[in-house]
Amino acid sequence: MTALPSYRPRVHPLWWARRRAYLVFVLRELTSVFVAWSAAYLVLLARAALAGDAEYAEFRAFAGSPWVVALNVVALAATAFHSVTFLNLAPRAMVVRLDGWRVPGFLIAGGNHSAWLAVSALVAYLVLRS
Amino acid sequence: MRARRTPEPYLWLLFSGGGVVAALLLPVLVLIFGVLAPLGVIEPPPAARVRALLDPLLVRLALAAVVGLCLFHAAHRIRFTVEEMTRGGRLDVVLAPLCYGAALTGTVIAVLVLF
């Protein structure tokens, strides 16, 4: 196979900062960093609780330190942004037909958001009931 | 010509599965355990309560699956975002194993912690 000279257009290194739409796109993609952090945080929480009361107290001190709270506030905003954008994506990724009738996108997205609300309420109830 | 097999469809499947799981579960968990409890807005669940929540095998299996899916979702998205932001498609040889390797390591740690 002969190697063809490839065409590489020049791109500004900060191309994603040059338009609002691009910036929102990149911010949306970067919510995944906080998805990973949140998953790791839950593992740390589970590890501490399973290890014993002393380890759990240590974890609570760590979780209460200002920088961890600040990080988690950002993580809350990022994961909520992820939820809204990801659940809105579903009707674009799939077309649901019922007996030939195309279910409109807002019903699919609305169903997803209702499920989000229901799951959140259930989790909050299970965790917080005494 | 035989179609070349790649793992990409499975990685996209893990990405979208993780995206849905993260969307449904993470905000409420971060809100309770990451923000409201540490700030003292709500009474933080005591260790015994968290242990009781984690006691059923099904809950631990579900949590391990949630953590694994979230990590693979993040790995996939970070891989492509970094490549697009830097226009560094050639980085993929290094970046893909790095991202998925980290996700796999995290999943193994979660399983070891929970079981």
Side-chain angles (χ1 to χ4, degrees):
Chain A
M1 207 171 90
T2 46
L4 294 169
S6 57
Y7 169 61
R8 287 185 172 275
R10 282 185 171 278
V11 180
H12 191 276
L14 293 178
W15 65 267
W16 46 270
R18 299 188 124 189
R19 267 196 204 184
R20 207 182 112 80
Y22 299 162
L23 188 66
V24 173
F25 159 73
V26 164
L27 285 179
R28 197 187 67 210
E29 298 300 302
L30 288 182
T31 59
S32 57
V33 175
F34 293 96
V35 166
W37 156 253
S38 305
Y41 182 80
L42 291 176
V43 174
L44 290 176
L45 169 80
R47 192 194 67 89
L50 292 172
D53 291 351
E55 284 82 354
Y56 191 67
E58 218 171 275
F59 173 80
R60 275 182 52 186
F62 160 78
S65 57
W67 71 270
V68 179
V69 174
L71 189 59
N72 276 328
V73 169
V74 180
L76 177 63
T79 51
F81 188 50
H82 163 83
S83 298
V84 172
T85 51
F86 209 79
L87 296 176
N88 280 343
L89 201 67
R92 292 166 193 266
M94 63 178 181
V95 173
V96 180
R97 285 185 192 282
L98 292 178
D99 202 14
W101 176 65
R102 180 175 173 169
V103 179
F106 75 89
L107 280 186
I108 300 176
N112 283 343
H113 288 286
S114 308
W116 178 26
L117 206 67
V119 169
S120 301
L122 181 69
V123 169
Y125 168 72
L126 289 176
V127 170
L128 298 175
R129 76 187 160 149
S130 41
Chain B
M1 196 176 88
R2 255 180 71 205
R4 207 162 61 92
R5 293 182 73 95
T6 80
E8 292 299 316
Y10 305 103
L11 296 172
W12 279 97
L13 200 65
L14 285 171
F15 159 76
S16 64
V20 173
V21 163
L24 294 179
L25 286 169
L26 285 187
V28 66
L29 290 172
V30 174
L31 179 68
I32 293 173
F33 290 111
V35 179
L36 296 183
L39 286 179
V41 179
I42 56 167
E43 186 64 34
R49 175 93 192 100
V50 180
R51 277 198 291 274
L53 281 171
L54 292 173
D55 189 48
L57 179 67
L58 202 63
V59 172
R60 276 178 284 150
L61 282 173
L63 185 59
V66 167
V67 168
L69 283 171
C70 287
L71 291 179
F72 271 96
H73 169 86
H76 196 69
R77 227 168 180 174
I78 290 168
R79 169 191 171 196
F80 285 115
T81 307
V82 169
E83 285 171 18
E84 283 187 26
M85 281 174 83
T86 59
R87 286 297 175 123
R90 283 169 298 178
L91 284 178
D92 193 55
V93 199
V94 183
L95 207 54
L98 199 70
C99 288
Y100 300 121
L104 191 64
T105 310
T107 309
V108 170
I109 291 173
V111 168
L112 290 177
V113 163
L114 291 167
F115 295 96

